Amino acid sequence: MALPTLTPEQRQAALAKAAEARAARTALLSKVKAGELTFAQLLERDDDIAKKIKVSQALRAVKGVGPAKATALMEEAGVDEKRRLGGLGAQQRKKLVDALG
């Protein structure tokens, strides 16, 4: 399926919207990194910003979890490396929260 042709104004609006979404996700992850928000609280959020964060990014934002540990936790919970928070099942969420517990 071909992408629709956008006018320059539509393209600028789409770019601005994407930049705003990235900034919001970054701000949310920085709260996790600072300890203001726990991983479990991040999973409980029901907004589009939180749902579109990759699980690996969210895990790496937790203090003491690097790329290797994040990968190991995801494999243990049966989570694909490209999965986003909104696509996690109840059991996967529970396993990840318990592993970080």
Side-chain angles (χ1 to χ4, degrees):
M1 184 170 113
L3 293 174
T5 304
L6 300 177
T7 65
E9 294 82 21
Q10 289 173 322
R11 187 172 188 283
Q12 282 303 112
L15 288 171
K17 184 178 177 183
E20 187 178 307
R22 282 192 301 274
R25 286 193 300 272
T26 301
L28 200 53
L29 288 173
S30 67
K31 284 185 180 181
V32 174
K33 209 169 256 192
E36 298 172 24
L37 197 65
T38 66
F39 184 76
Q41 290 170 331
L42 183 62
L43 289 176
E44 289 171 6
R45 290 179 61 112
D46 197 30
D47 54 47
D48 284 341
I49 296 167
K51 287 181 179 181
K52 292 188 178 181
I53 295 173
K54 286 190 176 184
V55 177
S56 59
Q57 282 182 311
L59 286 171
R60 287 194 315 262
V62 176
K63 187 172 184 165
V65 178
K69 189 169 184 179
T71 302
L73 289 170
M74 289 174 64
E75 285 178 6
E76 186 179 310
V79 178
D80 185 59
E81 65 184 28
K82 295 180 182 175
R83 177 74 59 201
R84 295 183 185 271
L85 293 180
L88 289 176
Q91 292 297 320
Q92 291 172 324
R93 289 172 184 257
K94 185 179 181 329
K95 285 180 182 178
L96 289 172
V97 170
D98 290 347
L100 290 172

